[in-house]
Amino acid sequence: MTLDRLTLVHALQDTATRLRIASIRMTTAAGSGHPTTCLSAADIVSTLFFSEMRFDPKHPRQVDNDRFVLSKGHAAPLLYAAWAEAGAVDPTELLALRQIGSDLEGHPTPRLPFVDVATGSLGQGLAAGVGMALNGRRIGSPHRTYVLMGDGEGMEGAVWEAATAAEFYRLDSLCAIIDVNGLGQSRATRWGHDLDVLGQQWRAFGWHAIAVDGHDIGALLDALAEARGTAGRPTILLARTFKGRGVSFVEGREGWHGVPFKPDQAVRAIAELEAQFVGGAGGAQTPAVRPPVVPEGRTDVIRPAALPPPSYRIGDEIATREAFGTALAKLGAADPRVVALDADVKNSTFSERFEKVCPDRFYQSFIAEQAMVGLAMGMASVGAIPFPSTFACFLTRAADFIRMAAISNLNVKLVGTHAGVSIGEDGPSQMGLEDLAMVRAEPNFTVLYPCDAVSAESLIAAAAAHVGPVYLRMSRPKTPVIYDAQEAFPIGGSKVLRASGGDVALVVAAGVTVFEALKAHDELKRQGVSIRVVDAYSVQPIDGATLRTAAAAAGGRVITVEDHFVNGGLGDAVAAALADAGVAVHRLAVTDIPRSGKAGQLMDRYGISAAHIVAAVQERVGKGA
Amino acid sequence: MTLDRLTLVHALQDTATRLRIASIRMTTAAGSGHPTTCLSAADIVSTLFFSEMRFDPKHPRQVDNDRFVLSKGHAAPLLYAAWAEAGAVDPTELLALRQIGSDLEGHPTPRLPFVDVATGSLGQGLAAGVGMALNGRRIGSPHRTYVLMGDGEGMEGAVWEAATAAEFYRLDSLCAIIDVNGLGQSRATRWGHDLDVLGQQWRAFGWHAIAVDGHDIGALLDALAEARGTAGRPTILLARTFKGRGVSFVEGREGWHGVPFKPDQAVRAIAELEAQFVGGAGGAQTPAVRPPVVPEGRTDVIRPAALPPPSYRIGDEIATREAFGTALAKLGAADPRVVALDADVKNSTFSERFEKVCPDRFYQSFIAEQAMVGLAMGMASVGAIPFPSTFACFLTRAADFIRMAAISNLNVKLVGTHAGVSIGEDGPSQMGLEDLAMVRAEPNFTVLYPCDAVSAESLIAAAAAHVGPVYLRMSRPKTPVIYDAQEAFPIGGSKVLRASGGDVALVVAAGVTVFEALKAHDELKRQGVSIRVVDAYSVQPIDGATLRTAAAAAGGRVITVEDHFVNGGLGDAVAAALADAGVAVHRLAVTDIPRSGKAGQLMDRYGISAAHIVAAVQERVGKGA
């Protein structure tokens, strides 16, 4: 080891010791948190931040910074301490950890400028890192991406989905590190310190795997250099560590997960750690952070071309899923930030139309929806506008990712096709019937549900222009175009499709049920009964003002009809919007587990066809049986 | 090859040909479906059903039958054809495939007696198979479990979670087969026919892996025998096949996924297949199914001992999660069907109390919630009463499994602890705030949410006794016992906790907010205002009758308060129950992405504390600011 190298190693060691001390102080002050988890990873983080990584601590969102994802989010104090050491956090703020007035939360969230994606639901960070690394390739940035995982989270299948995506895209700018401390929350991890098994698994998944002593700074430097020099495949460092490293009474012991030190324990622990400084009292100075490499000539200002209006004509029969594919391809051609992700259903969702136009911005996760959404989250966190799409029902596979996307308020545009029983013969496993409930639960999600090709295309563009998470729901059957190509569909709006002075009821529909409502309108009109019909294409936010006016005009009799289970969908959205006006809502929706059959048969059997709307109106106006 | 063996091989070949012909006839009659997927797997299914497996076709639910899970559910016609060949389905019924009057749905569901778990959401079958094999061990059955997967679905992370569980439990009674036909829906699979890579992956995950020609019956017989003879680890057969096998114009070709043959194509295809019979016209006779091995002396009648009433006293401070652990341990001691599953949080959920009492019926999935729930689904399908538990938020990782559990109407008892912002400092990633929306969307899920230890223990027992899927929501903070140990808590009930003749509003709460409602009641009483307070411990089904009566008695002013996001939870449940009575509901719930802080601070900040209830009541009775 040369003297310079030795100096560096000692400085990184002392920095690691400072990170350990800070992590203990923070968690003891908070009275909760995971100090021993921070202690196992401190040498890794010190080496990464203060020797390997290149970034600008004053501008953490600079896209050419190396990215760092703390997938093991419960080591948040370590992350905050490292950014404090780098100058991005006031050290006095650290002791406010977990307090309601501080953004230094129990697990990292993008409220902090140096956090791209929230972590704390284990097994998600790698997919985000893959997305960031792919985005670097898209924008021509030379940055590298680092993901620090725990060994316990390696059991999450999502990790292996992300691993496959990284291998498939030969992401040599990606380096993951597993802090193999051998201890989970409640017991030893499956593989403990057996790096051989872990190495076999990662190599079998196409990664370059390096086993390393995670407390040996020199070895970590060498391993990171080897990763940087590895072409054509991602690298994983399997870093053997000990939970609680550096504090004699907790190191390697079970029963200390998520347990902060009591004040007297903290004093003892810190005294032990201070004795470990190699550079005298307080330790050697932290090495300076290396600045990022910023390519010349990049312009960050994107001015997407305005899209031409849809080319559909009223009466054309086009499925909204097909209109989605067409619109996405147009959008991709106009805006280089727009990317598409598929889980091997591109020929059913029509996202293959985007692939034809923008093959370099089309990402295939194969049948791995968590990876698809997780990659999109990583991409969105660094400036892309990703549209991951699959059948609506299969987005539930990524529900926990979607939950975390909401926490991060990421700019992802989820598209679920084949919504509801109207898919027909494939049966319930292929029917998205709880997707609206899933996304509506997230308070910051926008939820859009077009009924025809014009509104579909318009809402795809609106989703791309909106900043924040969006869900778009598309249907399988062909439906007639009912809107003029010039019609505007603002988020939060709705369309009153039928209205007269004598309306006795309001029917609120969306997607395929709009056409059932229109049929019901015509049938009732033949009977001398007028109803108002609203297309609630913006399910969240819903157009409360229009609904309140329409409900009042229709005598307060409101019926909703939707191709979704009865709880959590359109009916609940309308009911909530009308609650403070004192209007209660009658909901037509699917209330049983459905079965196979033809679309029309199923819509009738499950109570959402025109006939059921007619009956509900009749019943409410006192003319029914 | 001996003569007998040759006869057997020929018979199995001809049976496979018949299965192919039937699959084509069925899908062509239906006008939809996946014939080429059936053709690739026909030799595997023929060999399994008519030589390897032991089962009683007249009693498909017999627990000692070998289990067969068609994880690649889109090959349903092949499954139906095999059971028809075995005598369990009337062959004339096959042509009703996918029609609304037939249980032969597009993808298999347990409406059919020979289907244990619904499939069609790829990557779930292996976890179910692991659960079935573990159940066999629990009940002392010698049966084996077979799971047939597609190669495309091997990309789902859930497969690797299940693979790890099978390895961890050394499940040598489990044999999985991958029909490696190399083609996904929209393109070639990631690994195509590269059995070497697949073999490395499965071996790295601890399985015995055998590469085999999936169209060579003799090789399949040998491989299955090798699997049967392999001790201490599960076996996977990597069966190299061709999609569309046996029909010249589709075999190995892209673009035929989910495409039925047109009638003229079907005629050509069937003519080609009929020419392949080795045993003359119509083919050699199908070998007889081998009967199961039924152990002597097993009694199927379980009479669980009645549980003693809870031992808590009014005023005791116990978290409902802790009461859950205690109750589960009692239940486990009383009923051998009760099993518990954990994802490495047993010391936070208190499921470790069950492990202490019933270590043999406690299953550890490590941090892999899809495996945890998937194993439970498999176990439930064959007679166990599984309680998988983790933090409520992390159950969203298994949302697609939960969706399929609903489709199968399985007897699983999901337990989510650490619900809501009342967990405090850990922050939003650890807060279950959309769990009620997720499970309430499923129309056959029972949803229970106790507020104290007595109701928690009682509802755990009620969940075990109820047949069907149940979700139980538990809280982190200690709460006082408010119910007498003898109190009964029927599913679908509620408790009126405060009522007087002059109530001006009804406050409906559940879980931690019950105590906020009680505090609000007392504060308002000091102001001379009376409110009615209901504990809606049964969120689904909800006690509509009591709510309607209470709402009427309280002047139609109804306020709900819950530690959950505003959409999809208790408020929507109450609103729906009161809608047809014309009562609209004002909902207090979490409407923003929350952050870290103390439980009390967060409940106040997010609008669900006693002070907010008081204000909402005052506003509604016209006394507020």
Side-chain angles (χ1 to χ4, degrees), chain A residues 122 167 190 397 442 587, chain B residues 122 167 190 397 434 576:
Chain A
L122 291 170
E167 171 278 323
R190 173 67 191 96
R397 192 66 71 101
E442 305 302 339
R587 302 173 301 163
Chain B
L122 291 170
E167 172 277 324
R190 173 66 192 96
R397 192 65 72 99
E434 46 281 279

Side-chain angles (χ1 to χ4, degrees), chain B residues 106-165:
Chain B
H107 294 74
T109 74
R111 286 200 174 95
L112 294 163
F114 50 82
V115 175
D116 295 317
V117 293
T119 52
S121 184
L122 291 170
Q124 296 200 11
L126 187 60
V130 173
M132 292 170 193
L134 285 170
N135 192 66
R137 190 179 281 180
R138 177 181 71 82
I139 63 174
S141 173
H143 78 73
R144 290 179 60 74
T145 300
Y146 297 91
V147 179
L148 179 58
M149 297 189 280
D151 50 344
E153 68 176 307
M155 308 299 277
E156 291 284 12
V159 171
W160 299 102
E161 295 184 11
T164 299

